[in-house]
Amino acid sequence: MDSTLFDHPIYGLAHTNKQALLLPELQRLTQHHAQHCTEYANLLDAFGVDPDRPPQRLEDFFPLAARLFKSHRLKSIPDGQVFKTLSSSGTSGQPSRIFLDRENAALQSKVLVRIMQHWLGKQRLPLLIADHAGVMADRQSFSARAAGIQGFSFLGRDPCHALKADMGCDLPALLAFVERYQDQPLLIFGFTYMVWQYLLPALEAHDIQLPQAILLHGGGWKKLQALAVDNAAFKARLAGRGIRRVHNYYGLVEQTGSVFVECEQGHLHAPLFTDVLVRDPLRGRICEPEETGALQLFSLLPTSYPGHVLLTEDLGQVLGEDDCPCGRQGRYFRVLGRIAQAEKRGCSDAY
């Protein structure tokens, strides 16, 4: 990746300027993966895509179906350079496997920190994790849940795992953390369902208020939808514990580091290193604003595997570009769930 990209504001580039940065990097990644991943090159060839004649518009890039990472070892590095393997949390069938070399893993962390500093500031806050420490046991092969915890742990300090392996509350650890940090800004990180099902009951049972906390959560909405819990109900229950700064985020293990964070208006925003389109899953055309279709995600981060342009199985709508009332530039969107018959997955849906 061109290192000068880090000189630009995360949400400060309007359409023309942002596309001028994204297009050459995506073109370079397409050529790179075509040269180093035989399976990807074969797919391009089968669909008549010439990597040496790169597209001039986002909508013309060949989107790789994200589910192919379940059935194929898609990577652009030799086996000897695999530093870490990430796995998705699919509840049936084969999980996705994402192969990272050291350089790609470092780039993911660097970009994630840069994105989240926009929302949290540069100060590392005390971190309360709505999970248990054992989920991180295997340091070489990470689940999406473990990868998320590791990635976001860089944003905090003095981490405390609020739960035990049986998902019961680790009350001594939780109370010690609260006593130490309750009266100062702190960060809570967790997957949405874990926060709802396990952390909030513990806070309620012990009447713990955390008015200076910022909650960052993502994944697991399918389970909450089954309980008829929407975003408003989720936030209302958090407000009962004094937690009012709440940011949902959306991302895939296939594009770890490229996260889309919810703004004060309830919109998910595409940061500098990414973009998003919505594609009609039957006809393949690009959908109009507020028209529902499959989310197609672009990321400049995947260098060790061909995940830079992915067609997901998530339904969503692009709501606008450069005109969100929150003032951030770039495209913003909402996620509406999974395409019918698609495999249920998600960092905490799989728990």
Side-chain angles (χ1 to χ4, degrees):
M1 181 191 297
D2 183 349
S3 61
T4 61
L5 277 168
F6 287 89
D7 297 336
H8 298 279
I10 288 292
Y11 300 102
L13 294 183
H15 175 85
T16 300
N17 291 333
K18 183 173 179 178
Q19 299 307 303
L21 294 178
L22 288 182
L23 284 172
E25 290 295 322
L26 290 169
Q27 293 164 353
R28 184 186 62 77
L29 283 170
T30 297
Q31 293 175 323
H32 168 78
H33 293 306
Q35 292 169 3
H36 296 281
C37 178
T38 301
E39 294 85 352
Y40 180 69
N42 290 342
L43 272 172
L44 293 183
D45 184 61
F47 282 87
V49 178
D50 182 353
D52 294 323
R53 300 180 62 184
Q56 301 303 310
R57 306 182 306 168
L58 279 188
E59 48 264 52
D60 294 332
F61 277 86
F62 174 76
L64 196 66
R67 66 165 35 247
L68 287 176
F69 287 93
K70 301 176 185 299
S71 54
H72 295 76
R73 286 170 55 89
L74 298 173
K75 56 186 179 62
S76 304
I77 53 175
D79 288 343
Q81 290 184 17
V82 174
F83 167 64
K84 183 185 295 183
T85 304
L86 305 180
S87 299
S88 68
S89 303
T91 54
S92 62
Q94 186 77 12
S96 294
R97 299 187 71 198
I98 305 302
F99 301 96
L100 303 177
D101 58 12
R102 287 183 181 275
E103 181 182 353
N104 205 158
L107 180 61
Q108 288 181 346
S109 297
K110 183 177 181 180
V111 169
L112 181 63
V113 168
R114 180 71 191 282
I115 293 170
M116 294 314 305
Q117 283 180 341
H118 172 88
W119 302 92
L120 304 175
K122 292 187 176 181
Q123 182 182 5
R124 297 177 70 192
L125 302 176
L127 176 63
L128 182 64
I129 301 170
D131 216 313
H132 65 94
V135 75
M136 306 287 295
D138 188 346
R139 311 292 293 186
Q140 300 300 316
S141 182
F142 274 16
S143 67
R145 228 169 92 199
I149 292 171
Q150 186 195 45
F152 286 103
S153 291
F154 285 112
L155 306 169
R157 61 180 172 84
D158 196 11
C160 169
H161 293 83
L163 304 179
K164 299 182 292 186
D166 63 0
M167 295 296 123
C169 175
D170 187 340
L171 190 58
L174 176 61
L175 293 179
F177 181 88
V178 170
E179 181 179 2
R180 190 171 182 183
Y181 296 118
Q182 187 174 29
D183 297 324
Q184 61 180 278
L186 60 92
L187 175 63
I188 304 174
F189 172 77
F191 295 101
T192 308
Y193 181 72
M194 310 286 280
V195 172
W196 177 269
Q197 190 71 12
Y198 303 111
L199 179 62
L200 275 170
L203 298 180
E204 291 164 348
H206 299 279
D207 195 24
I208 295 171
Q209 293 283 327
L210 298 172
Q212 298 197 56
I214 305 170
L215 172 64
L216 182 65
H217 71 99
W221 276 108
K222 197 173 187 69
K223 277 191 172 182
L224 289 191
Q225 289 168 352
L227 299 173
V229 177
D230 59 14
N231 201 12
F234 184 78
K235 289 183 176 178
R237 191 178 179 192
L238 288 162
R241 298 296 97 207
I243 304 169
R244 293 181 173 80
R245 283 193 62 186
V246 180
H247 293 290
N248 184 23
Y249 77 88
Y250 170 75
L252 305 180
V253 70
E254 291 87 351
Q255 288 186 347
T256 295
S258 304
V259 294
F260 305 87
V261 182
E262 177 191 37
C263 75
E264 300 80 358
Q265 303 295 320
H267 302 150
L268 295 165
H269 280 262
L272 172 65
F273 307 93
T274 75
D275 216 329
V276 58
L277 292 173
V278 172
R279 194 174 285 276
D280 184 322
L282 297 179
R283 299 171 182 83
R285 64 176 177 80
I286 298 299
C287 294
E288 297 296 322
E290 301 194 36
E291 183 181 0
T292 300
L295 292 171
Q296 181 175 333
L297 305 180
F298 302 81
S299 172
L300 302 187
L301 275 61
T303 55
S304 60
Y305 62 98
H308 57 304
V309 186
L310 293 180
L311 187 63
T312 78
E313 295 177 334
D314 292 325
L315 291 172
Q317 297 172 335
V318 167
L319 302 174
E321 185 172 16
D322 299 338
D323 58 359
C324 180
C326 76
R328 294 176 180 87
Q329 303 285 292
R331 250 183 280 263
Y332 56 98
F333 66 105
R334 67 163 64 104
V335 179
L336 300 173
R338 301 281 288 165
I339 295 174
Q341 307 303 317
E343 177 191 1
K344 184 172 78 172
R345 52 175 277 172
C347 301
S348 61
D349 279 333
Y351 168 70

